[in-house]
Amino acid sequence: PKGVMLTHGGVVNEAVAMARLLELGPGDRLLQFASPGFDAALEEIFATLASGATLVPRPDGISEDLADFHEFLITSGVTVLDLTTAFWAAWCAWMAEENQQLPDAIRAVVVGGERLSASAAADWQLAGGGKIPLINSYGPTEASVVATVEILTGSQEKSDPPIGRPLPGV
């Protein structure tokens, strides 16, 4: 959207770093949530394909109804998610309200794009998210999508989680 030109080396560095961080492999199924025009799509597409995992396209309209989104995750066998923080927070709140648990196949979730709040992290815990890594990512498009990550596991403090440490090569 900003018309930022990225270098090939920066995109490769970010894709390799995220594939390693997520331990992506042939048995994984990563949801391509981001629109192809959004920088996060580079992370989803290239990290997934470079690791031999399967890229699962997001069906049209699935992000408009959280119950449908949740059911799609269950039926599609998605193992890794890379979501905007706002959408993830809405999904966590929905799971808390509906007394739903995180789908069993999901083993890691990356969030980014907006600040991660302590209240959303608390909803995540209620949905069973404390048993898997939640990766808080931050980075302007100019830094080839993601510059820093913080892996959150278990219960969180009362304050907003940090944006983390730089990815290798950043």
Side-chain angles (χ1 to χ4, degrees):
K2 296 188 232 176
V4 173
M5 188 179 335
L6 301 178
T7 66
H8 181 258
V11 173
V12 169
N13 183 70
E14 198 271 347
V16 169
M18 290 305 287
R20 286 182 180 151
L21 177 72
L22 294 168
E23 299 177 351
L24 290 174
D28 282 308
R29 297 174 57 78
L30 189 138
L31 177 65
Q32 183 186 344
F33 185 81
S35 162
F38 185 49
D39 65 348
L42 296 174
E43 179 174 285
E44 295 168 342
I45 295 167
F46 294 118
T48 301
L49 298 180
S51 61
T54 300
L55 191 63
V56 179
R58 178 186 68 178
D60 289 337
I62 201 74
S63 61
E64 296 166 11
D65 184 291
L66 293 167
D68 288 346
F69 175 76
H70 192 80
E71 183 62 28
F72 174 76
L73 294 178
I74 293 168
T75 59
S76 66
V78 166
T79 61
V80 179
L81 294 171
D82 191 342
L83 303 172
T84 63
T85 306
F87 185 85
W88 168 83
W91 179 47
C92 289
W94 176 86
M95 284 190 288
E97 290 168 10
E98 298 295 322
N99 199 26
Q100 293 288 322
Q101 290 292 297
L102 188 66
D104 291 336
I106 296 179
R107 63 169 195 77
V109 176
V110 178
V111 295
E114 299 94 15
R115 184 180 190 148
L116 179 75
S117 70
S119 63
D123 284 342
W124 177 246
Q125 298 300 319
L126 289 174
K131 63 186 178 195
I132 66 166
L134 173 64
I135 296 133
N136 188 26
S137 66
Y138 168 78
T141 303
E142 295 81 358
S144 296
V145 187
V146 169
T148 65
V149 294
E150 179 75 14
I151 301 172
L152 309 169
T153 56
S155 62
Q156 300 303 313
E157 301 298 320
K158 300 277 184 208
S159 61
D160 294 346
I163 63 170
R165 298 190 179 276
L167 287 175
V170 175

